[in-house]
Amino acid sequence: MAVDKNMNILIVDDYKTMLRILRNLLRQLNFVNIEEATDGSMALQKLRQGNIDFVISDWNMEPMTGIQLLREVRADDKLKHLPFIMITAESKSENVIAAKQAGVSNYIVKPFNAETLKSKMVSVLGDF
Amino acid sequence: MSTDNHVDQEIKKELALLRQTHGDVVKVSEISAVVASIMATMKGDLTASDLELYNELEALASYIRDAKMDIAALRPDEVRDQYIPTAADELDAIVQATEIATNSIMDATEEIEAVMATLDGDQAEKLMNATTNIYEACGFQDITGQRITKVVKALKDIEDKIEGLVTAFGSEIEKIKASSPVPDAKPENAEITDADLLDGPQLEGDATSQAEIDALLASFD
């Protein structure tokens, strides 16, 4: 099934410049409906309002981190099936294992390039 | 009672008194006082082993005195009050400057993308690749920001440890300061050297604006 380019994507990062980078790279991939949040709790609030189809989140944020957000999402019956990609500078294998155990769909380490972002999205959402 | 037993009891007595007064954290200056008081109890005929112990204690007291002076002479209060806050401010300024620069780069890149939309084929594709590369490269701001945040946290840890030193050596530092004060600033009529003029970029708020510089230059006309 083709990926719907009109899907609603939530990007979460405490660095505004990173949000802008992600937004621009996603736009270049023709994804236009992008919501932003600057930490896990704000993201969770937006997710619970509905309509989000896909989450791309940083890990290291306050007060709610990306891994806490992921656990909240996976524990919520309405949200638990959402595809969730972690994009983070945390590159230790313990982090990757913890994210996998928490139910992450894929994991991108910063700094990343557009090709990596696209390939990980394809692996989660299917080809586009 | 032998001298050895007497010394043991004196040490135990002093340690118990210190624990009662300060818990397990004792200032170096108080340790020195304990050593001095124990030495004062060693009166009368001394055996060879008493004398050896006496000499060891005397050497220890001397070592502690020297260490106190050396640490106090480093002026840890100045490190805490001046150098660390300045370093933290400079690092914050780096994060702000890179954020502003990154956003300016992305402003320009988005304008290029707007032009790209009016082009076809090969030219549009080349511009698309170039702008993608720029966006990717802008990720440096996030990475450097996180690294700098780690350094600021490390500075905070150092500051806390120095605070402990200042607390422990407070009176010694004041004595050193009184005996060899550092001049606060150059006298007003002192000649400005080339080294004085090398201070790097100024922090926001401290910096002289271009308008102020223009006004200063104009004042020479």
Side-chain angles (χ1 to χ4, degrees):
Chain A
M1 193 172 70
V3 171
D4 180 8
K5 293 288 179 77
N6 288 314
M7 72 189 316
N8 293 311
I9 302 176
L10 177 63
I11 53 177
V12 193
D13 202 302
D14 55 348
Y15 273 72
K16 296 245 170 77
T17 47
M18 183 48 68
L19 287 175
R20 193 170 171 188
I21 290 165
L22 275 171
R23 176 182 282 278
N24 281 321
L25 291 175
L26 289 168
R27 188 171 40 73
Q28 289 193 332
L29 294 172
N30 296 317
F31 291 96
V32 289
N33 294 323
I34 299 159
E35 295 263 334
E36 296 180 0
T38 53
D39 85 291
S41 52
M42 187 195 222
L44 198 57
Q45 209 174 353
K46 285 186 180 252
L47 286 167
R48 286 184 172 148
Q49 286 168 1
N51 299 324
I52 300 294
D53 304 303
F54 179 47
V55 183
I56 300 175
S57 177
D58 183 29
W59 184 309
N60 195 343
M61 300 174 290
E62 290 180 348
M64 186 189 281
T65 65
I67 191 82
Q68 288 170 331
L69 171 65
L70 174 59
R71 289 183 186 127
E72 290 283 345
V73 166
R74 293 295 179 244
D76 187 312
D77 279 343
K78 287 182 183 165
L79 303 174
K80 65 182 175 189
H81 299 298
L82 275 182
F84 191 118
I85 289 182
M86 191 79 82
I87 297 190
T88 175
E90 307 290 347
S91 59
K92 287 188 284 194
S93 52
E94 296 96 298
N95 289 71
V96 181
I97 292 165
K100 191 64 192 165
Q101 287 172 342
V104 79
S105 309
N106 219 313
Y107 197 102
I108 299 173
V109 68
K110 292 176 181 174
F112 64 97
N113 58 33
E115 199 176 318
T116 303
L117 175 64
K118 184 180 178 184
S119 73
K120 299 300 180 189
M121 286 178 69
V122 165
S123 77
V124 173
L125 301 171
D127 207 1
F128 56 85
Chain B
M1 179 187 294
S2 74
T3 306
D4 285 349
N5 281 339
H6 178 66
V7 169
D8 284 349
Q9 283 184 4
E10 284 299 324
I11 291 171
K12 280 178 187 163
K13 201 166 86 183
E14 292 290 346
L15 287 175
L17 185 63
L18 278 170
R19 259 198 205 98
Q20 192 183 357
T21 313
H22 300 284
D24 285 329
V25 180
V26 181
K27 287 184 181 177
V28 175
S29 60
E30 284 155 354
I31 295 170
S32 183
V34 173
V35 173
S37 71
I38 292 168
M39 286 166 62
T41 65
M42 302 181 75
K43 296 170 187 167
D45 295 335
L46 296 176
T47 64
S49 63
D50 291 338
L51 194 61
E52 190 182 340
L53 176 61
Y54 180 91
N55 288 336
E56 289 289 336
L57 287 171
E58 192 173 55
L60 179 59
S62 171
Y63 180 80
I64 290 171
R65 265 197 309 274
D66 290 347
K68 277 163 60 182
M69 295 297 280
D70 287 346
I71 293 170
L74 292 174
R75 304 275 173 94
D77 57 331
E78 286 180 6
V79 175
R80 177 198 62 185
D81 297 338
Q82 293 174 26
Y83 298 114
I84 290 181
T86 302
D89 288 347
E90 295 282 356
L91 291 170
D92 285 342
I94 290 172
V95 174
Q96 283 172 19
T98 56
E99 187 177 349
I100 291 167
T102 306
N103 279 309
S104 297
I105 292 166
M106 283 198 280
D107 287 343
T109 310
E110 285 165 11
E111 283 182 32
I112 293 169
E113 277 193 290
V115 174
M116 184 179 80
T118 66
L119 301 173
D120 294 320
D122 192 42
Q123 284 180 314
E125 193 181 333
K126 280 182 179 170
L127 281 179
M128 169 73 112
N129 290 338
T131 53
T132 301
N133 288 342
I134 294 170
Y135 290 135
E136 288 169 0
C138 285
F140 87 95
Q141 201 272 329
D142 174 88
I143 301 293
T144 53
Q146 291 192 50
R147 289 195 190 284
I148 289 170
T149 300
K150 281 171 82 173
V151 175
V152 170
K153 279 182 184 161
L155 278 175
K156 180 75 185 108
D157 288 343
I158 293 168
E159 189 177 22
D160 291 344
K161 293 204 169 17
I162 289 176
E163 178 66 41
L165 270 182
V166 172
T167 304
F169 290 93
S171 59
E172 303 298 326
I173 293 167
E174 291 309 315
K175 276 187 217 163
I176 293 261
K177 272 181 164 177
S179 63
S180 58
V182 174
D184 287 337
K186 291 182 85 162
E188 274 187 28
N189 56 355
E191 188 181 342
I192 295 174
T193 66
D194 283 354
D196 292 331
L197 297 172
L198 288 175
D199 198 27
Q202 302 299 291
L203 290 172
E204 190 76 21
D206 295 339
T208 309
S209 71
Q210 185 60 53
E212 288 167 327
I213 289 168
D214 291 345
L216 181 60
L217 289 173
S219 71
F220 287 89
D221 295 338

